């Protein structure tokens, strides 16, 4: 049972927009800790996709965007491409656990 | 260029102790703000943070595994070592070494190793 809750799966056709939610609590996202997102392509290590709720590292396409409100955060992907098919994880910090916490991951399928 | 690579035994028996080494390059663990941690991922499951050590030797552990984990660093060798005692088949997972180098002020991992699959079986 992950501390941050994500939908197990989402899907969309090429060119469409999808969103992935990440729900936390008052000891992590709701406490003001930033949310970061990682993309894990099949059989590879995770890669930082969004940091500080809504910022993209250099090289990440602007099709990827993030937002945060209250105890939740969201990752949006527009103009879906086949290469976006991957697992996506949100991550934050939890003050009750004094440590880093991840979501359960969301598998994105491009139809 | 920043790289991290995990090494250690990939098959351990139940009750044994696992020792994993993360050897990195392209940054120094003596630089203020830098941290190196371990995250694991059981087959088909989610990421789970285990431990992290900072440049100033501040160590953090997952509360649920704290009694079994020890993280240390050797700055001169650019290595971080994780030991996990009393291994069980449920500890079978890919173990990743990951670093926080950039993005000062954020608790994240911006560089990851390729991971090493550790299987616990008799």
């Amino acid at each position: 049972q992950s501390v941050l809750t994500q939908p197990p799966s989402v899907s969309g056709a090429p060119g469409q927009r999808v969103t992935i939610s990440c729900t936390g609590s008052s000891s992590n996202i709701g406490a003001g800790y930033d949310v970061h997102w990682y993309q894990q392509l099949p059989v590879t290590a995770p890669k930082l996709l969004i940091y500080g709720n809504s910022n993209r590292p250099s090289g990440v396409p602007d099709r990827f965007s993030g937002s945060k409100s209250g105890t939740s955060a969201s990752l949006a992907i527009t103009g879906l491409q086949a290469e976006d098919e991957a697992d996506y994880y949100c991550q934050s910090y939890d003050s009750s656990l004094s440590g880093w916490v991840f979501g359960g991951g969301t598998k994105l399928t491009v139809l | 260029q920043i790289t991290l690579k995990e090494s250690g035994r990939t098959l351990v028996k139940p009750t044994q102790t696992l020792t994993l080494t993360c050897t990195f390059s392209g940054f120094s663990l003596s630089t203020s703000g830098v941290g190196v941690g371990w995250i694991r991922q059981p087959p088909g499951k989610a990421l789970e943070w285990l431990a992290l050590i900072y440049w100033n030797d501040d160590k953090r552990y997952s509360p649920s595994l704290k009694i079994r984990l020890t993280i240390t660093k050797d700055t001169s060798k650019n290595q971080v070592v994780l030991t996990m005692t009393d291994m069980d088949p449920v500890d079978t997972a890919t173990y990743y070494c990951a670093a926080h180098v950039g993005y000062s002020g954020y608790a994240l991992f911006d560089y990851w190793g390729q991971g090493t699959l550790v299987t616990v079986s008799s």
Side-chain angles (χ1 to χ4, degrees):
Chain A
Q1 192 83 355
S2 300
V3 174
L4 305 179
T5 301
Q6 298 179 233
S9 64
V10 297
S11 62
Q16 286 190 332
R17 177 181 187 270
V18 296
T19 61
I20 298 172
S21 61
C22 174
T23 302
S25 67
S26 58
S27 61
N28 42 68
I29 299 175
Y33 293 104
D34 292 307
V35 177
H36 317 293
W37 291 88
Y38 300 85
Q39 178 192 57
Q40 186 176 32
L41 296 170
V43 204
T44 65
K47 166 194 162 186
L48 183 63
L49 189 68
I50 296 286
Y51 71 95
N53 307 314
S54 59
N55 303 292
R56 288 184 306 277
S58 174
V60 174
D62 60 6
R63 301 187 296 104
F64 295 90
S65 62
S67 63
K68 172 189 163 184
S69 178
T71 58
S72 296
S74 289
L75 172 70
I77 310 171
T78 58
L80 265 183
Q81 299 180 4
E83 66 203 50
D84 299 333
E85 194 160 280
D87 293 325
Y88 293 85
Y89 291 90
C90 60
Q91 178 252 307
S92 186
Y93 184 85
D94 190 285
S95 57
S96 295
L97 300 173
S98 295
W100 290 251
V101 290
F102 286 92
T106 298
K107 182 176 182 58
L108 169 62
T109 300
V110 180
L111 302 171
Chain B
Q1 181 188 5
I2 291 176
T3 63
L4 302 98
K5 187 169 185 179
E6 306 86 353
S7 62
R9 287 171 56 193
T10 56
L11 178 63
V12 298
K13 297 184 188 312
T15 75
Q16 287 186 335
T17 294
L18 172 70
T19 300
L20 293 174
T21 299
C22 175
T23 303
F24 55 87
S25 63
F27 68 94
S28 172
L29 199 38
S30 60
T31 300
S32 178
V34 173
V36 175
W38 290 90
I39 296 103
R40 71 178 179 180
Q41 184 174 37
K45 296 189 177 180
L47 301 168
E48 178 186 20
W49 171 72
L50 302 177
L52 183 137
I53 188 165
Y54 282 110
W55 84 101
N56 58 0
D57 211 38
D58 182 12
K59 302 170 185 177
R60 309 290 180 89
Y61 296 101
S62 168
S64 62
L65 293 167
K66 184 174 184 177
I67 60 172
R68 299 173 54 202
L69 297 173
T70 303
I71 190 168
T72 60
K73 64 180 175 69
D74 186 329
T75 305
S76 64
K77 292 183 179 179
N78 282 350
Q79 290 182 332
V80 169
V81 176
L82 179 77
T83 61
M84 179 180 290
T85 61
D86 195 24
M87 293 292 284
D88 182 274
V90 300
D91 296 314
T92 294
T94 295
Y95 286 73
Y96 293 102
C97 166
H100 176 197
V101 178
Y103 308 104
S104 177
Y106 295 106
L108 53 73
F109 300 98
D110 48 343
Y111 293 94
W112 294 66
Q114 64 188 26
T116 185
L117 176 61
V118 175
T119 302
V120 184
S121 174
S122 54

